Amino acid sequence: EAGVVQSPRYKIIEKKQPVAFWCNPISGHNTLYWYLQNLGQGPELLIRYENEEAVDDSQLPKDRFSAERLKGVDSTLKIQPAELGDSAVYLCASGDSSSFSGTDTQYFGPGTRLTVL
Amino acid sequence: AQSVTQLGSHVSVSEGALVLLRCNYSSSVPPYLFWYVQYPNQGLQLLLKYTTGATLVKGINGFEAEFKKSETSFHLTKPSAHMSDAAEYFCAVSPRSGGYNKLIFGAGTRLAVHP
C-alpha cells in the first residue's frame, strides 16, 4: 500500500514569493492534516480536513496561508507571500475516522522542507 | 490546556543497552497517548499508542510503553538498543473529551546509539 505522498520534497524561494505544497493521502483515508514542524520541535497542526471540509483551521495563519481539498482526496497548502520565518518542514498526514475510537491514527508523509531566503 | 513534556532533548546509549525515553502529560483526564519515530528526512512513523485496556503497550521494532496514571507518564522503553534505533522520538497526546481532538506533540528526544 502506498503511503502519504508529498511534493516537492525540498523548496527554496526568496521572501515575498508564493509557494505551494501538494499532498496525496493514503487511498480511502477521509481525514487529512497539514502540520508545521520547526527545527528541533514537534509538529504543530495547521489544518484538519474531514473529506473536503476544513473542520479545524484555528491554527492556520489565514492572512498568508490557504489550503484546499476540493474533491476530498489530495490537498494543496499555499503560502503567499512567504516570509523568512516560514522556513520549516511542512508535513501532511492522513487517517481514517470511520472506525471511531476517539481519535484516528495518523500516517505521515515525508514532508516538504521549505527554505525562505 | 493539554501539554506534553519529554525529559531530555538528547539521549545517548550504547548498542545493546536499555533505551528509556521519558514522557509526561498534563491533564486531569488521561488522554490518548502516542509515540512516533522520525528518521532523518522522513515523516513520522507510529511506534505505538494507548487508547484503553492494558497499560503496557507493545509497538513495532521491539519498543513498548507503559501508561501510569498516578505518574501521568507514558515512558518508552526498549531492552536492547540497536544502531538503527538512532532517530528522533516524539510523544503525543490527544484529549479524550467528546468527538475529535487534535494531536499535541512534545518537543522530541533525539536518540543516539553508539557502538
Side-chain angles (χ1 to χ4, degrees), chain B residues 5 11 13-14 17-18 25 28 33-34 46 55 58 62 72 74 79 85 88:
Chain B
T5 301
V11 171
V13 300
S14 299
L18 171 72
Y25 63 89
S28 57
L33 298 155
F34 305 80
L46 181 67
T55 57
K58 295 185 184 300
T72 62
F74 192 57
D85 294 326
E88 184 117 27

Side-chain angles (χ1 to χ4, degrees), chain A residues 9 37 48 101-102 105-106 109, chain B residues 32 36 38 41 43 49 100:
Chain A
R9 291 293 314 277
Q37 185 177 21
R48 175 181 187 259
S101 62
T105 297
Q106 297 179 33
Chain B
Y32 299 109
Y36 282 85
Q38 186 175 33
N41 298 317
K49 65 178 179 180
Y100 159 77

Side-chain angles (χ1 to χ4, degrees), chain B:
Chain B
Q2 196 79 233
S3 68
V4 182
T5 301
Q6 291 185 240
L7 294 175
S9 57
H10 291 81
V11 171
S12 182
V13 300
S14 299
E15 190 172 20
L18 171 72
V19 175
L20 171 61
L21 304 181
R22 301 178 186 273
C23 173
N24 288 88
Y25 63 89
S26 66
S27 174
S28 57
V29 176
Y32 299 109
L33 298 155
F34 305 80
W35 275 100
Y36 282 85
V37 61
Q38 186 175 33
Y39 298 101
N41 298 317
Q42 294 187 30
L44 281 71
Q45 180 182 7
L46 181 67
L47 278 175
L48 49 81
K49 65 178 179 180
Y50 172 77
T51 55
T52 187
T55 57
L56 182 62
V57 181
K58 295 185 184 300
I60 61 172
N61 302 339
F63 284 93
E64 61 183 35
E66 185 172 12
F67 165 57
K68 292 187 177 181
K69 182 178 178 180
S70 61
E71 299 178 7
T72 62
S73 69
F74 192 57
H75 301 332
L76 182 71
T77 60
K78 182 174 181 178
S80 177
H82 191 272
M83 297 295 287
S84 61
D85 294 326
E88 184 117 27
Y89 292 79
F90 292 95
C91 181
V93 303
S94 178
R96 285 182 188 267
S97 56
Y100 159 77
N101 286 286
K102 65 182 181 182
L103 276 178
I104 300 166
F105 286 86
T109 296
R110 184 169 297 278
L111 176 66
V113 182
H114 52 85

Side-chain angles (χ1 to χ4, degrees), chain A residues 6-82:
Chain A
Q6 291 188 247
S7 69
R9 291 293 314 277
Y10 304 91
K11 188 73 176 180
I12 300 174
I13 61 172
E14 294 188 349
K15 63 180 181 182
K16 300 185 181 180
Q17 295 300 304
V19 64
F21 314 124
W22 178 80
C23 172
N24 193 39
I26 293 172
S27 178
H29 280 187
N30 64 321
T31 57
L32 185 145
Y33 306 77
W34 284 102
Y35 286 88
L36 166 69
Q37 185 177 21
N38 286 306
L39 187 64
Q41 298 183 26
E44 298 174 32
L45 181 69
L46 289 172
I47 188 168
R48 175 181 187 259
Y49 284 92
E50 280 190 19
N51 300 304
E52 65 274 8
E53 182 181 0
V55 295
D56 184 357
D57 63 356
S58 57
Q59 302 301 310
L60 189 71
K62 298 181 183 63
D63 56 336
R64 297 185 301 107
F65 286 66
S66 64
E68 60 183 16
R69 193 185 185 200
L70 293 176
K71 296 183 179 179
V73 180
D74 58 343
S75 175
T76 302
L77 177 69
K78 298 178 181 178
I79 308 175
Q80 182 170 10

